[in-house]
Coordinates of all heavy atoms in Angstrom, one line a residue:
M1 N 133.5 10.2 -16.5 CA 132.3 10.3 -17.4 C 132.1 8.9 -18.0 O 131.8 8.7 -19.1 CB 132.6 11.3 -18.5 CG 132.7 12.7 -18.0 SD 131.3 13.4 -17.2 CE 130.3 13.8 -18.7
H2 N 132.2 7.8 -17.2 CA 132.0 6.5 -17.7 C 130.8 5.8 -17.1 O 130.6 4.7 -17.2 CB 133.3 5.6 -17.5 CG 133.8 5.7 -16.1 ND1 133.2 5.1 -15.0 CD2 134.9 6.3 -15.6 CE1 133.9 5.4 -13.9 NE2 134.9 6.1 -14.2
A3 N 130.0 6.6 -16.4 CA 128.7 6.1 -15.8 C 127.6 7.1 -16.1 O 127.8 8.3 -16.0 CB 128.9 5.9 -14.3
A4 N 126.5 6.5 -16.5 CA 125.3 7.4 -16.8 C 124.9 8.2 -15.5 O 124.5 9.3 -15.6 CB 124.2 6.6 -17.3
G5 N 125.1 7.5 -14.3 CA 124.7 8.1 -13.1 C 125.5 9.4 -12.8 O 125.0 10.4 -12.4
A6 N 126.8 9.3 -13.1 CA 127.7 10.4 -12.9 C 127.3 11.6 -13.8 O 127.3 12.7 -13.3 CB 129.1 10.0 -13.2
E7 N 126.9 11.3 -15.0 CA 126.5 12.3 -15.9 C 125.3 13.1 -15.4 O 125.1 14.3 -15.4 CB 126.2 11.8 -17.3 CG 126.0 12.8 -18.3 CD 125.8 12.2 -19.7 OE1 126.1 11.0 -19.8 OE2 125.3 13.0 -20.6
H8 N 124.3 12.3 -14.8 CA 123.1 12.9 -14.3 C 123.4 13.8 -13.1 O 122.9 14.9 -13.0 CB 122.2 11.7 -13.8 CG 120.8 12.3 -13.3 ND1 119.9 12.8 -14.2 CD2 120.3 12.4 -12.1 CE1 118.8 13.2 -13.5 NE2 119.1 12.9 -12.2
V9 N 124.3 13.4 -12.2 CA 124.7 14.2 -11.1 C 125.3 15.5 -11.5 O 125.1 16.5 -11.0 CB 125.7 13.4 -10.2 CG1 126.3 14.3 -9.1 CG2 125.0 12.2 -9.5
F10 N 126.1 15.3 -12.6 CA 126.8 16.5 -13.1 C 125.8 17.5 -13.6 O 125.9 18.7 -13.4 CB 127.8 16.2 -14.2 CG 128.8 17.3 -14.5 CD1 129.9 17.5 -13.6 CD2 128.6 18.0 -15.6 CE1 130.7 18.5 -13.9 CE2 129.5 19.1 -15.9 CZ 130.6 19.3 -15.0
D11 N 124.7 17.0 -14.3 CA 123.7 17.9 -14.8 C 123.0 18.6 -13.6 O 122.8 19.8 -13.7 CB 122.6 17.1 -15.5 CG 123.1 16.7 -16.9 OD1 124.1 17.3 -17.4 OD2 122.4 15.9 -17.6
S12 N 122.8 17.9 -12.5 CA 122.1 18.6 -11.4 C 123.0 19.6 -10.8 O 122.6 20.7 -10.4 CB 121.8 17.5 -10.3 OG 120.9 16.6 -10.9
F13 N 124.3 19.3 -10.7 CA 125.3 20.3 -10.2 C 125.3 21.5 -11.0 O 125.3 22.6 -10.5 CB 126.6 19.6 -10.1 CG 127.7 20.5 -9.5 CD1 127.6 20.9 -8.2 CD2 128.8 20.9 -10.3 CE1 128.5 21.7 -7.6 CE2 129.7 21.8 -9.7 CZ 129.6 22.1 -8.4
E14 N 125.2 21.3 -12.3 CA 125.2 22.5 -13.2 C 124.0 23.4 -13.0 O 124.0 24.6 -13.0 CB 125.4 22.1 -14.6 CG 125.9 23.2 -15.5 CD 126.3 22.6 -16.9 OE1 125.8 21.6 -17.3 OE2 127.2 23.2 -17.5
C15 N 122.9 22.7 -12.8 CA 121.6 23.4 -12.6 C 121.7 24.2 -11.2 O 121.2 25.3 -11.1 CB 120.4 22.4 -12.5 SG 120.0 21.8 -14.1
A16 N 122.3 23.5 -10.2 CA 122.4 24.2 -8.9 C 123.3 25.5 -9.1 O 122.9 26.5 -8.5 CB 123.1 23.2 -8.0
I17 N 124.3 25.4 -9.9 CA 125.1 26.6 -10.1 C 124.3 27.7 -10.7 O 124.3 28.9 -10.2 CB 126.3 26.3 -11.0 CG1 127.3 25.4 -10.3 CG2 127.0 27.6 -11.5 CD1 128.5 25.0 -11.2
H18 N 123.5 27.4 -11.7 CA 122.6 28.4 -12.3 C 121.6 28.9 -11.4 O 121.2 30.1 -11.4 CB 122.0 27.8 -13.6 CG 122.9 27.8 -14.7 ND1 123.0 28.8 -15.6 CD2 123.7 26.8 -15.2 CE1 123.9 28.5 -16.5 NE2 124.4 27.3 -16.3
R19 N 121.1 28.0 -10.5 CA 120.1 28.5 -9.5 C 120.7 29.5 -8.5 O 120.1 30.4 -8.1 CB 119.5 27.3 -8.7 CG 118.4 26.6 -9.5 CD 118.0 25.3 -8.7 NE 116.9 24.6 -9.4 CZ 115.6 24.8 -9.1 NH1 115.3 25.6 -8.2 NH2 114.7 24.1 -9.7
M20 N 121.9 29.1 -8.0 CA 122.5 29.9 -7.0 C 123.3 31.2 -7.5 O 123.5 32.1 -6.8 CB 123.5 29.1 -6.2 CG 122.8 27.9 -5.5 SD 123.8 27.2 -4.2 CE 125.3 26.8 -5.1
A21 N 123.6 31.1 -8.7 CA 124.4 32.2 -9.3 C 123.6 33.5 -9.3 O 122.4 33.5 -9.6 CB 124.9 31.9 -10.7
P22 N 124.3 34.6 -8.9 CA 123.6 35.9 -8.9 C 123.3 36.3 -10.4 O 124.0 35.8 -11.3 CB 124.5 36.8 -8.2 CG 125.9 36.2 -8.4 CD 125.6 34.7 -8.4
R23 N 122.4 37.2 -10.6 CA 122.1 37.7 -11.9 C 122.5 39.1 -12.0 O 122.3 39.9 -11.1 CB 120.6 37.5 -12.2 CG 120.3 36.0 -12.6 CD 118.8 35.9 -13.0 NE 118.5 34.5 -13.3 CZ 118.7 34.0 -14.6 NH1 119.2 34.8 -15.5 NH2 118.4 32.8 -14.8
C24 N 123.0 39.4 -13.2 CA 123.4 40.8 -13.5 C 122.1 41.6 -13.5 O 121.1 41.3 -14.2 CB 124.1 40.9 -14.8 SG 124.3 42.6 -15.4
E25 N 122.0 42.7 -12.7 CA 120.8 43.5 -12.6 C 120.6 44.3 -13.9 O 119.5 44.8 -14.1 CB 120.9 44.4 -11.4 CG 120.7 43.6 -10.1 CD 120.3 44.6 -9.0 OE1 120.0 45.7 -9.2 OE2 120.4 44.2 -7.8
H26 N 121.6 44.4 -14.7 CA 121.5 45.3 -15.9 C 121.0 44.4 -17.0 O 120.0 44.8 -17.7 CB 122.8 45.9 -16.2 CG 122.7 46.9 -17.3 ND1 121.9 47.9 -17.3 CD2 123.4 47.0 -18.5 CE1 122.0 48.7 -18.4 NE2 123.0 48.1 -19.1
W27 N 121.7 43.3 -17.3 CA 121.3 42.5 -18.5 C 120.4 41.3 -18.0 O 119.7 40.7 -18.9 CB 122.5 41.9 -19.1 CG 123.4 43.0 -19.8 CD1 124.7 43.3 -19.4 CD2 123.1 43.8 -20.8 NE1 125.2 44.3 -20.2 CE2 124.2 44.7 -21.1 CE3 121.9 44.0 -21.6 CZ2 124.2 45.6 -22.1 CZ3 121.9 45.0 -22.6 CH2 123.0 45.8 -22.8
G28 N 120.5 40.9 -16.7 CA 119.7 39.7 -16.3 C 120.5 38.4 -16.6 O 119.9 37.3 -16.5
C29 N 121.7 38.5 -17.0 CA 122.5 37.3 -17.4 C 123.0 36.7 -16.1 O 123.2 37.4 -15.1 CB 123.6 37.7 -18.3 SG 124.7 39.0 -17.7
T30 N 123.2 35.4 -16.2 CA 123.8 34.7 -15.0 C 125.2 35.0 -14.8 O 126.0 34.9 -15.7 CB 123.6 33.2 -15.1 OG1 122.2 32.9 -15.4 CG2 124.0 32.5 -13.9
V31 N 125.6 35.4 -13.6 CA 127.0 35.7 -13.3 C 127.7 34.5 -12.7 O 127.4 34.1 -11.6 CB 127.1 36.9 -12.3 CG1 128.5 37.2 -12.0 CG2 126.3 38.1 -12.9
I32 N 128.5 33.9 -13.4 CA 129.3 32.7 -13.0 C 130.8 33.0 -13.0 O 131.2 33.5 -14.0 CB 128.9 31.5 -13.8 CG1 127.4 31.1 -13.7 CG2 129.8 30.3 -13.4 CD1 127.0 29.9 -14.6
G33 N 131.4 32.5 -12.0 CA 132.9 32.7 -11.9 C 133.2 34.1 -11.4 O 133.3 34.3 -10.2
H34 N 133.4 35.1 -12.3 CA 133.7 36.4 -11.8 C 132.6 37.4 -12.1 O 131.7 37.1 -13.0 CB 135.0 36.9 -12.4 CG 134.9 37.0 -13.9 ND1 134.4 38.1 -14.6 CD2 135.3 36.2 -14.9 CE1 134.5 37.9 -15.9 NE2 135.1 36.8 -16.1
G35 N 132.5 38.4 -11.4 CA 131.5 39.4 -11.6 C 131.8 40.6 -10.6 O 132.8 40.5 -10.0
V36 N 131.0 41.5 -10.6 CA 131.2 42.6 -9.7 C 130.0 42.8 -8.8 O 128.9 42.5 -9.1 CB 131.4 43.9 -10.5 CG1 132.7 43.9 -11.3 CG2 130.2 44.2 -11.4
Q37 N 130.4 43.2 -7.6 CA 129.3 43.4 -6.5 C 129.4 44.8 -6.0 O 130.5 45.2 -5.6 CB 129.5 42.3 -5.4 CG 128.4 42.4 -4.4 CD 128.6 41.3 -3.3 OE1 129.6 40.6 -3.3 NE2 127.6 41.2 -2.4
G38 N 128.3 45.4 -5.9 CA 128.3 46.8 -5.3 C 127.0 47.1 -4.7 O 126.0 46.8 -5.4
D39 N 127.0 47.7 -3.6 CA 125.7 48.1 -3.0 C 124.8 47.0 -2.8 O 123.5 47.1 -2.8 CB 125.0 49.2 -3.9 CG 124.3 50.2 -3.1 OD1 124.4 50.3 -1.9 OD2 123.5 51.0 -3.7
G40 N 125.3 45.8 -2.5 CA 124.5 44.6 -2.3 C 123.9 44.0 -3.5 O 123.0 43.2 -3.5
R41 N 124.4 44.5 -4.7 CA 123.8 44.0 -6.0 C 124.9 43.4 -6.8 O 126.1 43.8 -6.7 CB 123.1 45.2 -6.7 CG 122.0 45.8 -5.8 CD 121.9 47.3 -6.1 NE 121.1 47.5 -7.3 CZ 121.0 48.7 -7.9 NH1 121.5 49.8 -7.3 NH2 120.3 48.9 -9.0
F42 N 124.5 42.5 -7.7 CA 125.5 41.8 -8.5 C 125.4 42.3 -10.0 O 124.3 42.5 -10.5 CB 125.3 40.3 -8.5 CG 126.0 39.7 -7.2 CD1 125.2 39.4 -6.1 CD2 127.3 39.4 -7.3 CE1 125.8 38.9 -5.0 CE2 127.9 38.8 -6.2 CZ 127.2 38.6 -5.0
F43 N 126.5 42.3 -10.6 CA 126.6 42.6 -12.0 C 127.6 41.8 -12.7 O 128.5 41.3 -12.0 CB 126.9 44.1 -12.2 CG 125.9 45.0 -11.6 CD1 126.1 45.5 -10.3 CD2 124.7 45.4 -12.2 CE1 125.2 46.3 -9.6 CE2 123.8 46.3 -11.6 CZ 124.0 46.7 -10.3
C44 N 127.5 41.6 -14.0 CA 128.5 40.8 -14.7 C 129.7 41.5 -15.0 O 130.8 40.9 -15.2 CB 127.9 40.2 -16.0 SG 127.5 41.5 -17.2
C45 N 129.7 42.8 -15.0 CA 130.8 43.6 -15.3 C 130.7 45.0 -14.7 O 129.5 45.5 -14.4 CB 131.0 43.7 -16.8 SG 129.6 44.4 -17.7
P46 N 131.8 45.7 -14.5 CA 131.7 47.1 -13.9 C 130.9 48.0 -14.8 O 130.2 48.9 -14.3 CB 133.2 47.5 -13.9 CG 134.0 46.3 -13.9 CD 133.2 45.3 -14.7
H47 N 130.9 47.8 -16.1 CA 130.1 48.7 -17.0 C 128.6 48.6 -16.6 O 127.9 49.7 -16.5 CB 130.2 48.2 -18.4 CG 129.3 48.9 -19.4 ND1 129.6 50.2 -19.9 CD2 128.1 48.5 -19.9 CE1 128.6 50.5 -20.7 NE2 127.7 49.6 -20.7
C48 N 128.1 47.4 -16.3 CA 126.7 47.3 -15.9 C 126.4 48.0 -14.6 O 125.4 48.6 -14.4 CB 126.3 45.8 -15.8 SG 126.2 45.0 -17.5
A49 N 127.3 47.8 -13.6 CA 127.2 48.4 -12.3 C 127.1 50.0 -12.5 O 126.2 50.6 -11.9 CB 128.3 48.1 -11.4
K50 N 127.9 50.5 -13.3 CA 127.9 52.0 -13.5 C 126.6 52.4 -14.2 O 126.1 53.4 -13.9 CB 129.1 52.4 -14.3 CG 130.4 52.3 -13.5 CD 131.6 52.6 -14.3 CE 132.9 52.4 -13.5 NZ 134.1 52.5 -14.4
A51 N 126.1 51.5 -15.1 CA 124.9 51.8 -15.8 C 123.7 51.9 -14.9 O 122.7 52.6 -15.1 CB 124.7 50.8 -16.9
K52 N 123.8 51.2 -13.7 CA 122.8 51.2 -12.7 C 123.0 52.2 -11.6 O 122.3 52.2 -10.6 CB 122.6 49.8 -12.1 CG 121.9 48.8 -13.1 CD 120.5 49.2 -13.3 CE 119.7 48.1 -14.1 NZ 118.3 48.5 -14.3
G53 N 124.1 53.0 -11.8 CA 124.4 54.0 -10.8 C 125.1 53.5 -9.6 O 125.1 54.2 -8.6
V54 N 125.7 52.3 -9.7 CA 126.5 51.8 -8.5 C 127.9 52.1 -8.7 O 128.5 51.8 -9.7 CB 126.3 50.3 -8.4 CG1 127.2 49.7 -7.3 CG2 124.8 49.9 -8.2
T55 N 128.5 52.8 -7.7 CA 129.9 53.2 -7.8 C 130.7 52.4 -6.8 O 130.2 51.9 -5.8 CB 130.0 54.7 -7.6 OG1 129.5 55.0 -6.3 CG2 129.3 55.5 -8.7
G56 N 132.0 52.4 -7.0 CA 132.9 51.8 -6.0 C 132.7 50.3 -6.0 O 132.7 49.7 -4.9
V57 N 132.4 49.6 -7.1 CA 132.2 48.2 -7.1 C 133.4 47.4 -6.9 O 134.5 47.9 -7.2 CB 131.5 47.8 -8.5 CG1 130.2 48.4 -8.7 CG2 132.5 48.1 -9.6
A58 N 133.3 46.3 -6.3 CA 134.4 45.4 -6.1 C 134.6 44.4 -7.2 O 133.7 43.6 -7.5 CB 134.3 44.6 -4.8
D59 N 135.6 44.6 -8.0 CA 135.8 43.8 -9.2 C 136.5 42.5 -8.8 O 137.7 42.5 -8.3 CB 136.7 44.5 -10.2 CG 136.6 43.9 -11.5 OD1 136.3 42.7 -11.6 OD2 136.7 44.6 -12.5
H60 N 135.8 41.4 -8.9 CA 136.4 40.1 -8.6 C 137.1 39.4 -9.7 O 137.6 38.3 -9.6 CB 135.3 39.1 -8.1 CG 134.7 39.6 -6.8 ND1 135.3 39.7 -5.6 CD2 133.4 40.1 -6.6 CE1 134.5 40.2 -4.7 NE2 133.3 40.4 -5.3
A61 N 137.2 40.1 -10.8 CA 137.8 39.5 -12.0 C 139.3 39.4 -11.7 O 140.0 38.5 -12.2 CB 137.5 40.3 -13.3
Ligands
ZN101 ZN1 125.9 42.8 -16.9

């Protein structure tokens, strides 16, 4: 973090993460790191998946 250029690249990288990160279908929040996937849909937590009627979700936490 000793160059302005590096900081700019890091900003872009962070934006890329937000762009590519799946969104929880229940809350619409960005799912980064861990989340649950079921029925081809992403959720931030098993609770949201169940709220949407998705059962047997794979918990990546
Ligand atoms: Zn959620």
Side-chain angles (χ1 to χ4, degrees):
M1 297 294 282
H2 48 72
E7 188 178 347
H8 183 73
V9 171
F10 196 77
D11 279 351
S12 298
F13 182 64
E14 201 166 28
C15 285
I17 289 178
H18 280 270
R19 276 175 182 266
M20 298 194 307
R23 283 185 179 272
C24 171
E25 288 198 13
H26 188 53
W27 296 117
C29 53
T30 305
V31 180
I32 297 177
H34 63 81
V36 294
Q37 183 180 7
D39 216 9
R41 300 149 80 186
F42 277 96
F43 301 93
C44 68
C45 57
H47 172 82
C48 288
K50 288 175 184 173
K52 286 292 187 180
V54 177
T55 57
V57 295
D59 196 333
H60 296 294

